[in-house]
């Protein structure tokens, strides 16, 4: 059952799918319609899942489920992944690429490949204060407080020279 994201518990389980490009306004409408339809009927073993979604920065799909009422099962998670794969296929985008890192360049999302990190730090493109998206956060509370972090406080800190 769809709920407003702000009404879900901070302990709600979370999945983040990063697109290889920003969504158009038409694509956002399609994604919202697909996910609203899905979350309205999402269940696990007959129990409605209290769930929500968001599309931050027009480039990420965030899905959350409050497992305090009913836990997502393997089958229900597979159904969710299936919906994401349908969106990916329909829009001809990549949502499962895990070696691309997103960061904020001003107000825009930019990306780089994992193997380019050291070079981008040495060139000064990525600095200790560059805002990096940590798509590995597992719950809504961490999403709110730890999804966007300074590169110097992330796994990238090993590349910054300290005096």
């Amino acid at each position: 059952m769809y709920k407003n994201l702000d009404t879900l518990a901070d302990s709600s389980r979370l999945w983040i799918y990063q697109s290889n490009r920003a969504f158009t306004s038409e694509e956002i409408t399609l994604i919202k319609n697909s996910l609203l339809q899905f979350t309205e009927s999402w269940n696990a073993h007959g129990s409605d899942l209290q769930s929500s979604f968001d599309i931050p920065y027009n480039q990420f799909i965030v899905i959350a489920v409050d497992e305090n009422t009913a836990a997502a099962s393997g089958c229900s998670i597979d159904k969710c992944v299936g919906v994401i794969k349908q969106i990916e296929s329909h829009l001809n985008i990549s949502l499962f690429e895990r070696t691309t890192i997103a960061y904020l360049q001003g107000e825009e999302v930019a990306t780089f490949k994992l193997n380019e990190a050291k070079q981008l730090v040495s060139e000064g493109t990525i600095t200790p204060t560059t805002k990096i998206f940590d798509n590995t956060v597992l719950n809504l509370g961490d999403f709110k407080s730890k999804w966007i972090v300074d590169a110097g406080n992330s796994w990238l800190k090993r590349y910054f020279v300290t005096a």
Side-chain angles (χ1 to χ4, degrees), residues 57 62 67 92 94 106 139:
Y57 293 93
V62 176
E67 293 188 308
N92 195 27
S94 174
N139 64 55

Side-chain angles (χ1 to χ4, degrees), residues 125-145:
T125 302
I126 303 295
T127 69
T129 59
T130 300
K131 304 296 184 195
I132 300 290
F133 293 91
D134 179 1
N135 295 329
T136 66
V137 295
L138 299 175
N139 64 55
L140 188 55
D142 285 348
F143 173 74
K144 292 174 184 176
S145 63

Side-chain angles (χ1 to χ4, degrees), residues 9-156:
D10 280 351
S11 61
S12 296
R13 194 167 176 187
L14 190 84
W15 295 269
I16 301 172
Y17 299 93
Q18 176 182 302
S19 175
N20 59 314
R21 62 169 175 78
F23 305 124
T24 66
S25 58
E26 294 82 14
E27 290 171 334
I28 290 170
T29 300
L30 183 141
I31 293 167
K32 285 181 177 179
N33 289 339
S34 295
L35 292 178
L36 184 59
Q37 181 179 357
F38 172 71
T39 55
E40 275 295 329
S41 62
W42 196 15
N43 68 72
H45 304 292
S47 297
D48 286 340
L49 293 175
Q50 306 296 310
S51 57
S52 192
F53 63 88
D54 194 13
I55 306 173
Y57 293 93
N58 298 333
Q59 194 155 342
F60 300 87
I61 297 174
V62 176
I63 299 175
V65 61
D66 187 345
E67 293 188 308
N68 291 322
T69 41
S73 65
C75 292
S76 64
I77 294 168
D78 287 348
K79 288 178 188 173
C80 182
V81 170
V83 170
I84 296 298
K85 285 185 176 183
Q86 286 175 348
I87 291 169
E88 181 183 55
S89 175
H90 185 75
L91 300 181
N92 195 27
I93 57 174
S94 174
L95 293 168
F96 292 92
E97 172 56 53
R98 301 292 185 222
T99 62
T100 301
I101 310 304
Y103 67 101
L104 282 175
Q105 194 171 49
E107 294 298 314
E108 300 295 317
V109 175
T111 61
F112 63 89
K113 292 291 186 185
L114 190 60
N115 63 358
E116 299 170 332
K118 190 174 184 178
Q119 177 184 344
L120 292 172
V121 167
S122 67
E123 293 171 353
T125 302
I126 303 295
T127 69
T129 59
T130 300
K131 304 296 184 195
I132 300 290
F133 293 91
D134 179 1
N135 295 329
T136 66
V137 295
L138 299 175
N139 64 55
L140 188 55
D142 285 348
F143 173 74
K144 292 174 184 176
S145 63
K146 299 177 183 176
W147 180 48
I148 302 173
V149 298
D150 286 343
N153 294 327
S154 76
W155 60 272
L156 286 165

